[in-house]
Amino acid sequence: MKSQLQMEQLITTLRQDLPTLFEQDISYEIYTNDIYFRDPVNKFKGKFNYRLIFWTLRFHAQLFFTEIAFDLHDVSESSNDTILATWTVRGILRVPWQARLLFNGYSTYKSNPDGLIYEHIDTWDKKPGEILQQFWQRGNSKN
């Protein structure tokens, strides 16, 4: 049976991991082996795939951006087994016109009775195509 302490430990780990996910790896011990992940462009199961998506984020961040940040606004328990994290991704693309990337989102994490996260669903405030359109805008324009 999951305790309040386990839930607080999950929240603490997410608060530590998320702000630096573009620079360093996250802590995978808080996730089940069959974790389910979904965002507007990906959907999969399994810790190997989960590790791969975070590696891919770091790789693409270094390759395509001169600056990129994951601004974590809040992480809190929204119900007995659910954690909600709100965030903003912002960056400057490695292109001559210095296009700026900016979108907000939230992550919903569900935990099992053992105190491990078995589901991570990301929701974005922009459609993937709208985010891609930002790549072609001049960096000094307002997004």
Side-chain angles (χ1 to χ4, degrees):
M1 181 100 185
K2 179 177 57 214
S3 68
Q4 188 58 37
L5 179 60
Q6 286 173 308
M7 185 61 86
E8 289 171 13
Q9 287 173 332
L10 290 176
I11 290 170
T12 297
T13 301
L14 290 168
R15 280 185 181 146
Q16 290 169 350
D17 283 354
L18 296 177
T20 59
L21 67 83
F22 289 121
E23 291 98 48
Q24 62 187 37
D25 215 355
I26 64 167
S27 307
Y28 295 102
E29 68 273 2
I30 65 170
Y31 303 97
T32 62
N33 286 331
D34 65 345
I35 180 157
Y36 174 75
F37 174 82
R38 187 180 78 222
D39 70 13
V41 294
N42 301 287
K43 180 169 69 169
F44 57 79
K45 246 188 149 161
K47 198 183 280 191
F48 176 80
N49 293 324
Y50 198 65
R51 291 179 81 105
L52 191 58
I53 197 95
F54 282 98
W55 179 86
T56 302
L57 283 171
R58 286 190 310 280
F59 178 79
H60 287 133
Q62 297 297 316
L63 188 63
F64 295 118
F65 292 87
T66 57
E67 294 176 31
I68 190 156
F70 188 93
D71 298 325
L72 185 62
H73 305 301
D74 187 45
V75 181
S76 59
E77 185 175 359
S78 63
S79 69
N80 195 28
D81 68 344
T82 305
I83 297 169
L84 186 67
T86 56
W87 44 264
T88 299
V89 171
R90 59 185 172 80
I92 300 174
L93 276 154
R94 197 179 298 278
V95 290
W97 57 93
Q98 296 186 316
R100 292 181 183 272
L101 175 74
L102 178 70
F103 68 99
N104 300 294
Y106 61 91
S107 301
T108 306
Y109 300 92
K110 296 211 177 228
S111 63
N112 66 17
D114 295 328
L116 296 174
I117 295 170
Y118 68 88
E119 183 179 276
H120 172 180
I121 308 292
D122 277 355
T123 304
W124 303 346
D125 71 341
K126 291 181 173 68
K127 293 179 179 156
E130 293 173 308
I131 293 169
L132 278 176
Q133 285 176 350
Q134 294 178 9
F135 289 26
W136 307 111
Q137 296 171 357
R138 293 196 70 76
N140 55 5
S141 66
K142 296 284 184 197
N143 288 335

